Amino acid sequence: MDSKDQNQMEVVEISKKKKFVSDGVFYAELNEFLTRELGEDGYSGVEVRGPVGRREIIIKATRTQHVIGENGRRIRELTSLIEKRFGFAEGQVKLFAEKVKNRGLCAIAQAESLCYKLMEGMAVRRACYGVLRFIMESDAKGCEIIVSGKLRAQRAKSMKFKDGYMITSGDAANHYIDEAVRSIKMKQGVLGIKVKIMLPYDSTGKVGCNVTQPDVVTVLEPKEEKPLDIPPKSGYAEDMRKKNDPTPMEQPDAGMSQPMSQPADMGPGPMPQAGPGM
């Protein structure tokens, strides 16, 4: 049997529902695996592309050289592990590394950075304010960091750090808000970290979001009014009656009173008076 015919026989028709479920499970397991393996190298997400029978996995990280490894050794190891775990044939999966353009606007990278700062023993307030300042200096519109758990005492509590402008509802939140949640195991217990970043507007879509917010109104400057190139007393502005008749006929004033006409049947005598029977 030819290799081409064998590849065609391996393709199995499944329903759309099962296809979406299997793709979602594959993405979730792959994302968790790469988060554990590449967390120290600034892992910031993954994107899966490719037609049926071939997958292209693009790993986004802040330090791509550590992801690739020396002479591409580490990325080949990751490719082999993914092929064995998900049952892909050799050559069906290809891994690529893409560098994050602005790591200050990536919530996953900042959440991982905050995790390592807390694990090194840095104070919670100092670590959170450092990450918050770095995010706002990267031209972010707003930022919110929430740390919850046993921070100092035995009683668990949560601390919230906010700066800038943040939207939480509407369709614009789906485009402008980048969110990441991480948890770390400390001596006193588990700490939860949540980072939300509001991206700036960018028409190109490279640095920020290219979707315009519905409540943004741009007031334009008024245009300069140019005088009309029409001579005076011409066109509709000129009185056509005066133009045809230079000496118009005088008309009586509408306010002048006219003499009242008397009825024809009444004579010049006095008016009759009403009698008692009338």
Side-chain angles (χ1 to χ4, degrees), residues 100-235:
V100 177
K101 296 178 182 179
N102 192 350
R103 64 189 184 96
L105 298 178
C106 182
I108 298 177
Q110 297 307 311
E112 293 288 347
S113 174
L114 184 57
C115 287
Y116 284 103
K117 286 183 178 181
L118 295 177
M119 291 176 68
E120 290 175 0
M122 187 180 292
V124 177
R125 288 181 180 272
R126 185 179 177 184
C128 291
Y129 276 122
V131 173
L132 189 68
R133 184 175 63 253
F134 179 75
I135 292 173
M136 295 305 296
E137 288 176 354
S138 301
D139 297 332
K141 271 194 171 183
C143 177
E144 181 182 273
I145 300 174
I146 302 175
V147 182
S148 59
K150 294 181 181 180
L151 303 177
R152 289 185 179 179
Q154 285 293 321
R155 184 62 179 257
K157 64 177 182 178
S158 62
M159 300 176 67
K160 184 182 291 187
F161 306 87
K162 295 178 66 177
D163 194 6
Y165 173 66
M166 178 74 64
I167 57 176
T168 57
S169 62
D171 182 65
N174 300 328
H175 304 282
Y176 278 87
I177 302 300
D178 189 13
E179 185 177 352
V181 179
R182 290 291 182 272
S183 59
I184 54 174
K185 295 181 180 179
M186 307 289 286
K187 291 182 180 179
Q188 64 270 25
V190 179
L191 293 182
I193 297 172
K194 186 176 182 179
V195 179
K196 292 173 67 176
I197 301 174
M198 183 168 178
L199 305 175
Y201 174 76
D202 182 22
S203 58
T204 60
K206 296 179 180 179
V207 181
C209 181
N210 58 355
V211 179
T212 307
Q213 295 188 33
D215 58 342
V216 174
V217 179
T218 304
V219 180
L220 303 177
E221 292 292 334
K223 297 181 179 180
E224 296 182 0
E225 295 184 359
K226 297 181 180 180
L228 298 176
D229 299 333
I230 300 176
K233 293 184 178 181
S234 64

Side-chain angles (χ1 to χ4, degrees), residues 16-35:
K16 291 183 180 180
K17 181 178 179 180
K18 292 183 178 180
K19 176 70 168 51
F20 288 131
V21 171
S22 62
D23 290 346
V25 172
F26 172 73
Y27 178 82
E29 292 188 12
L30 181 65
N31 186 37
E32 184 178 357
F33 167 70
L34 295 177
T35 302

